[in-house]
């Protein structure tokens, strides 16, 4: 057994969609979350910058004695995961491979859409991993850079959100996909609008559950699950003013986020 916490991180509130699954499927695990709210969005930044930011966050989380990490961010997972796994001697799980696996498994007509940040789509990480599972699948990638600010603002079902979603997804509607990967951890928060616009015949893939299940299985294999019977006390950290994070986070997790601590991440 290993009673130490699990580190989970993202550029902002998006990674909380992964935390939500972890709370449900690994309820005995303690979570230390970091949201880089001072430097969000990552999706428009270069691979070098994203990798540098991710390393700073990991160095911070290691000061909390985490036993493993979930990179709850597609932008980091698709651009920097290999380098992070090479640099840090600790189990690190990304969200892209689990999402690609789910998508390859779900499609019937072999036409899969992937939406994500500019950096995720440009990396072609989903495209490569989905085709590795099934080379017959045709992939249609679409960057949706305005989705992250909409979510960080908490505009999850506003009329402007419908308009923007409609505009970004028009080409995917025409492509007749039957499966759509929500390739950014912020996007599950827009799932109801996305589903309404794409129609019920399109299966939405949220990589979070598969990621969490794989990570917990990996911990179990190395006898790394928490066995302490006292309820875990989760901790949340951000790099900018916690107020908005608390507000949106409480909505996402239905978990009272009264203590969120601000950290100067540049010093790590
Ligand atoms: N939530 C992140 C992702 O999954 C990053 C979004 C951003 O900061 O641009 O890609």
């Amino acid at each position: 057994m290993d009673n130490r916490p699990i580190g989970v991180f993202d550029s902002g509130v998006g990674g909380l969609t992964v935390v939500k699954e972890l709370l449900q499927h690994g309820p005995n695990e303690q979570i230390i979350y970091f949201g880089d709210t001072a430097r969000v969005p990552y999706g428009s930044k270069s691979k070098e910058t994203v990798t540098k930011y991710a390393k700073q966050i990991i160095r911070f989380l290691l000061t909390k004695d985490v036993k493993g990490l979930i990179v709850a961010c597609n932008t980091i997972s698709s651009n920097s995961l290999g380098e992070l796994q090479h640099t840090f001697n600790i189990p690190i799980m990304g969200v892209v491979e689990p999402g690609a696996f789910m998508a390859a498994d779900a499609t019937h007509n072999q036409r899969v859409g992937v939406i994500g940040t500019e950096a995720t789509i440009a990396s072609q990480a989903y495209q490569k991993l989905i085709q590795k599972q099934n080379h017959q699948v045709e992939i249609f990638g679409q960057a949706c850079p305005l989705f992250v600010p909409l979510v960080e603002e908490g505009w999850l079902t506003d009329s402007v959100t419908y308009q923007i979603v409609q505009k970004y997804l028009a080409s995917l509607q025409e492509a007749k996909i039957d499966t759509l990967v929500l390739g950014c951890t912020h996007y599950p928060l827009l799932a109801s609008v996305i589903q309404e616009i794409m129609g019920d015949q399109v299966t939405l893939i949220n990589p979070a559950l598969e990621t969490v299940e794989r990570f917990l299985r990996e911990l179990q294999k190395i006898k790394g699950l928490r066995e302490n019977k006292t309820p875990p006390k989760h901790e949340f950290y951000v790099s900018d003013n916690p107020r908005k994070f608390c507000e949106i986070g409480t909505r996402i997790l239905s978990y009272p986020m009264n203590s969120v601590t601000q950290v100067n991440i540049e010093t790590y």
Side-chain angles (χ1 to χ4, degrees), residues 10-15 39-45 72-78 95 116-118 120 145 148-149 152 182-187:
D10 179 41
S11 59
V13 295
R39 305 189 293 197
V40 67
Y42 280 14
S44 53
K45 298 190 170 70
C73 172
N74 289 264
T75 306
I76 304 172
S77 301
S78 57
V95 282
T117 66
E118 285 167 300
T120 297
V148 168
E152 292 285 329
L182 305 178
C184 170
T185 51
H186 284 71
Y187 297 1

Side-chain angles (χ1 to χ4, degrees), residues 71-257:
V71 182
C73 172
N74 289 264
T75 306
I76 304 172
S77 301
S78 57
N79 284 281
S80 322
L81 186 66
E83 170 144 5
L84 299 177
Q85 287 170 331
H86 181 76
T87 308
F88 299 97
N89 187 19
I90 181 173
I92 305 181
M93 173 78 68
V95 282
V96 173
E97 206 178 316
F101 168 83
M102 288 172 80
D105 196 47
T107 184
H108 295 294
N109 73 356
Q110 320 295 335
R111 296 172 78 77
V112 172
V114 178
I115 52 175
T117 66
E118 285 167 300
T120 297
I121 299 302
S123 75
Q124 301 260 320
Y126 270 106
Q127 287 86 329
K128 287 180 203 146
L129 287 166
I130 293 172
Q131 275 167 348
K132 201 170 139 193
Q133 307 266 342
N134 180 350
H135 62 270
Q136 286 175 336
V137 177
E138 200 174 341
I139 322 273
F140 302 86
Q142 174 67 52
C144 306
L146 290 178
F147 285 7
V148 168
L150 285 174
V151 170
E152 292 285 329
E153 199 55 38
W155 291 3
L156 306 183
T157 52
D158 297 56
S159 59
V160 64
T161 307
Y162 273 88
Q163 282 171 24
I164 292 169
V165 172
Q166 175 71 64
K167 190 158 178 146
Y168 279 131
L169 300 190
S171 63
L172 296 177
Q173 286 172 316
E174 278 165 30
K176 303 268 177 280
I177 56 166
D178 71 349
T179 304
L180 178 59
V181 181
L182 305 178
C184 170
T185 51
H186 284 71
Y187 297 1
L189 297 162
L190 301 174
S192 62
V193 178
I194 294 171
Q195 187 80 69
E196 199 173 313
I197 284 168
M198 292 307 293
D200 285 342
Q201 74 287 0
V202 174
T203 305
L204 300 189
I205 302 289
N206 173 2
L209 174 59
E210 177 71 16
T211 304
V212 162
E213 283 181 342
R214 284 185 185 204
F215 188 72
L216 291 172
R217 274 202 302 272
E218 204 171 291
L219 283 186
Q220 192 170 26
K221 257 193 252 159
I222 57 171
K223 301 205 184 332
L225 293 174
R226 181 176 182 268
E227 279 173 18
N228 191 333
K229 291 292 170 243
T230 55
K233 219 173 153 299
H234 309 302
E235 294 172 23
F236 298 89
Y237 296 88
V238 291
S239 50
D240 203 352
N241 186 343
R243 190 188 54 82
K244 199 173 253 173
F245 181 89
C246 289
E247 217 176 274
I248 304 172
T250 303
R251 269 167 75 185
I252 297 172
L253 295 182
S254 322
Y255 177 94
M257 291 200 141

